[in-house]
Amino acid sequence: MSAKMIMDEPDTRRRLDDMAQGLIGKPLDRTEGPLKVSGSATYAHEWAIDNQAYGVLVRAPFAKGRILSIGKEALLSMEGVLAVIDDERLLRNPAQGTANEAPVQGVKDVVYLGQPIALVVAETFEGARHAAQSLTMDYEADESAAVDPEASDAQVEKPDEKQFSQGDVDQAMQEAAFTVDQVYRTPGHNSAAMEPHCAIAHWEEDKLTLYGSYQMLKYNRNELADSLGIDAEQVRIISRYVGGGFGSKLGIAPEAVAAAIAAKELQRAVCVTLSRQQVFEAVMRRSETRQHFQLAADEAGVLTGLSHVSLVSNLPDETFAEPVGQATHFMYGGKNRRIGLEIARLNKTCAGSVRAPGEAVGVTALENAMDELAEAAGIDPVELRLLNIPENDPEQDIAFSSRKFRQALEHGAKTFGWEKRQSVPGQVREGEWLIGMGMASAARVNMLMQSEARVTLSSDGSVIVETDMTDIGTGSYTILSQIAGEMLGVAMDRVETRLGDTDLPSASGSGGSWGASSSGSAVFLACEELRSQLCQKLDCDTGELTLKDGRAIVRNRRYDLVELLDGESLQAVGNIEPGETSDDVRQATFGAHFAEVAVNAVTGETRVQRMLGVFSAGRILNEKTARSQCYGGMIFGIGMALTEELLHDPRDGHIVNRDLGEYHVPVNLDVPQLDVILLDERDDHASPIQAKGIGELGICGAAAAIVNAIYNASGARVREYPATLDKILPYLD
């Protein structure tokens, strides 16, 4: 039996409010947690395949040009070397998220330094690494490689579809009582997931099984099959556990295709794992941005004009462009509007989705500009934002599906003690340390994606949930078990959730903050169908049925589920698809960040002393996993504000800080006490479980709150991230 829903109308039933098991929303521990902390969870590199060989990618030592030949023969004579693969099906870089087809292939044409060009396979990893380092090649390097997006000769595109204009911003700026006209810059970022990329491929006749670390298996399967030139039915991908992704593992990547080609040629399993340096150089980066803001406000501080024009970069043949203005379209009002995006075509590592693409950097710069406007107008920063919350989407004039933006700002300010903030910078000092407070709004678009799940109510009263959804550390195993347990009235230890296998029904995958609401809705629909099947057995309406603690309750009579099933197992498949509610209303999540920092008046060092985040994201399915996601986003914001920066050599574009020793992410001593408040909310338009995405919301604006606090503490107005010492020291006495 199957149950399908297309979200053409809001689902106002809110059925999860009425269930009796009491699992939804609770801060339950992650079900797979014991496996992970004990080392029992099998990650991609840990699958034990008989007769396994090892491959190491060889990468281009120049930024632009063509490989003429490689020295295969010399390597093949080395002990233990099995093959040197330079097949034209090899990938230049990973596929973009949801691409669903092969990314650019043909590695002889080099477009960035570090691009994969060959794979060396040997009996041992050490042998393959040594041989890969020994490979010689003949090539023609093109000295015209472009690496600076703001160079005078940079090739910059201005796609019509990425430009929006409404009213006359220039006139609004001329007539405004208060204005801001500033440029903000953010550097490139790396996802820096703990687990490097890995793929183990083996064939059984014409069937390929690939163990890998990927986020979106239904897309990845098609991308891998298309890359190899085979049918998707010949491919199975297994990705039970993913050691972090943050966007880096959305699409199929070079190691997977290389491993599959080598395994087919050698007729044995081949494992290809990227080193940390290879991850940095050959996996998606977040584009650097230059963002020009023009804000115009009247005497009351109400926006009359808003312009946000950004420059980003990518390779010449990539369609993805960091959607920097994504939230600028709807966060604040202002009848005169201009939002544009330009793309510089560079010879640098492919740009793609890094956690919260668009808003992570776009909301950050917007919130810095709003802080400057608040100062210019002499209005409290929280009050300025409250004044400019639009009633409807300011560009489409459609309603918001649900929005607790105002409540997040007001509740956050009260909880944080915002009233104690001194409006004039540099007024609070503790010894060498200048103390300041800053705040910023948070917003992130919300999306629902097609997703399927199969749920089985077994004859012994246990439940099995099956879908190819992935868990990248976000809690998918737990959340889907909670939904099934709630809907079918069974305890968590009676629910088994099976994920990460393309042999299972295809789900949305993890990305875009849509995973829990999309795959969770599919599980919910399957369970609704199972409840209907139970009602048929009990000859009752669905509204009469209560399921709790392994029992069915109808008209004050209790039935044990095992006895009711009488040796039979029931099964249903749920299928959710986005519909008209995606366009009829503006769906987004909202929040507010508050930060207190200390800036050393002598050295310029910044220490974050405390942070508060207040967020609204529809129904919270698990308080603990949701709060953990917000913690992670806020910590990401600390890194964005103070330390994280991809550094490219201006001569050839290669990444200088290509490991975790030099790319500085926040560590324990960088992270203060973090507080998170989750507002109670339901969004009937978003999904039948009234949930929205929360994973990326915590990043959006977090860095801006810190940088705004730096200004309040020291008077240092940093407009180029990160706020390192050299950018603060000139402002100190």
Side-chain angles (χ1 to χ4, degrees):
M1 301 291 289
S2 62
K4 181 176 180 179
M5 174 183 284
I6 301 175
M7 284 297 294
D8 286 332
E9 299 287 342
D11 190 336
T12 59
R13 299 173 301 158
R14 302 187 178 181
R15 295 206 64 188
L16 286 176
D17 286 348
D18 302 325
M19 297 297 123
Q21 193 63 28
L23 297 176
I24 293 299
K26 295 295 190 297
L28 303 185
D29 292 340
R30 294 198 342 215
T31 57
E32 84 286 5
L35 296 176
K36 290 180 175 178
V37 299
S38 65
S40 302
T42 306
Y43 288 86
H45 192 267
E46 298 173 325
W47 289 94
I49 310 298
D50 292 339
N51 197 31
Q52 181 173 287
Y54 298 86
V56 171
L57 289 171
V58 180
R59 293 163 302 127
F62 57 97
K64 183 179 181 182
R66 182 167 178 79
I67 303 295
L68 302 178
S69 64
I70 60 174
K72 286 186 180 183
E73 293 72 17
L75 263 61
L76 292 171
S77 65
M78 296 173 67
E79 182 179 356
V81 174
L82 302 172
V84 180
I85 308 292
D86 63 345
D87 195 298
E88 280 298 287
R89 292 175 294 173
L90 293 174
L91 305 185
R92 294 184 192 175
N93 41 255
Q96 299 286 351
T98 71
N100 216 33
E101 62 183 8
V104 177
Q105 297 172 274
V107 293
K108 286 186 173 59
D109 290 316
V110 174
V111 292
Y112 65 94
L113 195 151
Q115 174 188 303
I117 58 172
L119 179 77
V120 178
V121 187
E123 294 286 356
T124 65
F125 167 73
E126 292 79 8
R129 181 179 60 185
H130 174 62
Q133 292 171 344
S134 303
L135 182 66
T136 60
M137 66 191 77
D138 292 325
Y139 59 86
E140 291 179 347
D142 186 337
E143 300 301 325
S144 67
V147 298
D148 181 0
E150 297 191 47
S152 59
D153 60 349
Q155 179 189 345
V156 177
E157 300 172 0
K158 188 177 179 180
D160 290 341
E161 69 275 10
K162 298 186 183 298
Q163 316 306 316
F164 175 84
S165 181
Q166 175 179 293
D168 191 332
V169 171
D170 295 333
Q171 183 176 351
M173 290 290 288
Q174 292 175 8
E175 297 175 353
F178 308 105
T179 63
V180 170
D181 191 340
Q182 294 290 348
V183 172
Y184 305 85
R185 288 177 173 85
T186 62
H189 297 135
N190 188 275
S191 295
M194 185 179 295
E195 178 199 26
H197 282 54
C198 175
I200 301 174
H202 76 97
W203 294 77
E204 294 178 0
E205 297 181 353
D206 64 344
K207 300 289 186 181
L208 168 65
T209 300
L210 185 119
Y211 301 91
S213 187
Y214 303 105
Q215 296 180 223
M216 295 184 167
L217 297 193
K218 75 175 179 183
Y219 301 107
N220 303 147
R221 181 187 192 187
N222 292 336
E223 292 155 3
L224 179 56
D226 192 31
S227 299
L228 298 172
I230 61 177
D231 292 335
E233 290 72 22
Q234 296 174 251
V235 176
R236 180 186 183 190
I237 300 179
I238 297 174
S239 186
R240 305 278 194 219
Y241 303 99
V242 179
F246 311 113
S248 68
K249 299 168 183 173
L250 292 177
I252 208 68
E255 73 280 351
V257 174
I261 293 172
K264 185 69 170 178
E265 180 173 317
L266 295 172
Q267 289 299 298
R268 61 188 290 188
V270 173
C271 171
V272 180
T273 302
L274 302 189
S275 68
R276 183 64 64 185
Q277 291 78 12
Q278 289 175 331
V279 169
F280 269 77
E281 290 183 341
V283 173
M284 299 296 187
R285 64 179 173 94
R286 191 200 301 282
S287 170
E288 70 293 302
T289 74
R290 184 192 70 200
Q291 304 179 52
H292 181 199
F293 274 96
Q294 293 175 296
L295 303 181
D298 63 19
E299 291 183 354
V302 176
L303 284 166
T304 57
L306 186 160
S307 176
H308 183 186
V309 178
S310 305
L311 173 68
V312 300
S313 71
N314 211 336
L315 292 168
D317 44 21
E318 287 292 325
T319 58
F320 176 87
E322 184 82 24
V324 183
Q326 197 158 244
T328 310
H329 286 286
F330 61 83
M331 279 185 72
Y332 301 118
K335 64 179 181 179
N336 300 291
R337 309 174 72 81
R338 178 171 56 217
I339 302 171
L341 190 67
E342 299 176 356
I343 310 164
R345 296 301 178 182
L346 303 182
N347 296 105
K348 289 162 64 170
T349 299
C350 187
S353 296
V354 176
R355 200 175 200 197
E359 286 95 333
V361 286
V363 169
T364 293
L366 172 60
E367 291 303 295
N368 289 145
M370 289 292 284
D371 199 66
E372 295 204 46
L373 182 62
E375 182 184 42
I379 299 175
D380 179 84
V382 173
E383 182 61 28
L384 178 74
R385 288 159 174 83
L386 292 170
L387 283 171
N388 285 287
I389 296 176
E391 182 177 350
N392 289 329
D393 182 298
E395 295 171 8
Q396 303 181 67
D397 196 27
I398 56 176
F400 287 87
S401 57
S402 69
R403 181 181 53 169
K404 289 198 171 181
F405 190 10
R406 181 176 299 275
Q407 294 90 325
L409 289 164
E410 293 175 338
H411 189 53
K414 181 179 180 180
T415 304
F416 193 73
W418 183 254
E419 74 281 357
K420 298 176 183 178
R421 171 185 177 269
Q422 298 296 313
S423 59
V424 178
Q427 299 301 299
V428 182
R429 185 165 183 152
E430 297 176 1
E432 294 187 345
W433 297 91
L434 300 165
I435 312 300
M437 293 185 186
M439 59 80 53
S441 300
R444 170 73 177 158
V445 294
N446 182 70
M447 292 167 280
L448 181 72
M449 300 291 279
Q450 188 276 329
S451 204
E452 289 186 352
R454 180 169 58 237
V455 180
T456 303
L457 178 57
S458 301
S459 58
D460 65 356
S462 64
V463 175
I464 299 172
V465 177
E466 296 174 300
T467 171
D468 76 355
M469 179 63 185
T470 51
D471 191 322
I472 61 173
T474 49
S476 300
Y477 280 103
T478 310
I479 291 166
L480 299 186
S481 294
Q482 284 177 265
I483 293 171
E486 188 74 83
M487 289 292 291
L488 299 177
V490 300
M492 286 288 286
D493 61 3
R494 299 286 285 160
V495 182
E496 178 188 358
T497 295
R498 301 170 181 172
L499 305 179
D501 187 338
T502 54
D503 277 0
L504 303 177
S506 60
S508 62
S510 300
S513 296
W514 59 57
S517 60
S518 300
S519 61
S521 293
V523 171
F524 168 83
L525 293 173
C527 291
E528 274 202 316
E529 171 58 30
L530 291 176
R531 290 175 67 93
S532 295
Q533 293 179 35
L534 290 172
C535 285
Q536 291 178 10
K537 288 180 173 291
L538 293 165
D539 192 25
C540 69
D541 295 330
T542 55
E544 297 178 285
L545 175 65
T546 298
L547 296 175
K548 183 180 181 182
D549 298 331
R551 294 180 175 83
I553 306 169
V554 177
R555 306 184 192 103
N556 294 322
R557 295 190 61 182
R558 295 175 178 266
Y559 304 86
D560 186 276
L561 275 180
V562 175
E563 295 178 2
L564 183 63
L565 292 167
D566 192 23
E568 180 185 6
S569 293
L570 304 180
Q571 190 174 91
V573 174
N575 184 353
I576 185 71
E577 292 185 11
E580 293 180 6
T581 62
S582 297
D583 300 316
D584 291 347
V585 291
R586 165 62 74 178
Q587 293 188 28
T589 55
F590 293 91
H593 293 279
F594 295 83
E596 181 180 270
V597 306
V599 178
N600 191 288
V602 177
T603 67
E605 175 190 356
T606 297
R607 294 180 182 175
V608 182
Q609 294 190 321
R610 61 189 179 106
M611 289 184 73
L612 167 68
V614 183
F615 307 106
S616 65
R619 183 192 301 276
I620 301 301
L621 299 170
N622 181 314
E623 183 184 343
K624 180 176 288 187
T625 59
R627 182 171 278 111
S628 293
Q629 287 295 290
C630 295
Y631 288 150
M634 293 164 72
I635 293 168
F636 204 137
I638 295 173
M640 285 177 58
L642 302 179
T643 60
E644 291 193 47
E645 179 179 17
L646 275 183
L647 296 171
H648 295 265
D649 190 307
R651 296 167 298 180
D652 56 18
H654 81 267
I655 298 173
V656 176
N657 54 339
R658 57 187 189 139
D659 56 41
L660 295 177
E662 298 297 330
Y663 181 83
H664 297 145
V665 299
V667 296
N668 290 0
L669 288 176
D670 298 316
V671 181
Q673 176 63 42
L674 303 179
D675 293 316
V676 168
I677 297 172
L678 302 172
L679 300 179
D680 187 47
E681 184 182 38
R682 304 286 186 269
D683 192 327
D684 300 327
H685 293 81
S687 65
I689 57 176
Q690 292 80 45
K692 294 193 280 193
I694 199 169
E696 295 167 306
L697 178 62
I699 300 171
C700 306
I706 295 168
V707 170
N708 291 342
I710 290 173
Y711 176 75
N712 182 247
S714 66
R717 184 68 80 180
V718 178
R719 300 188 182 98
E720 184 169 344
Y721 282 78
T724 46
L725 309 185
D726 57 306
K727 297 166 188 170
I728 296 174
L729 279 170
Y731 293 89
L732 303 178
D733 294 334

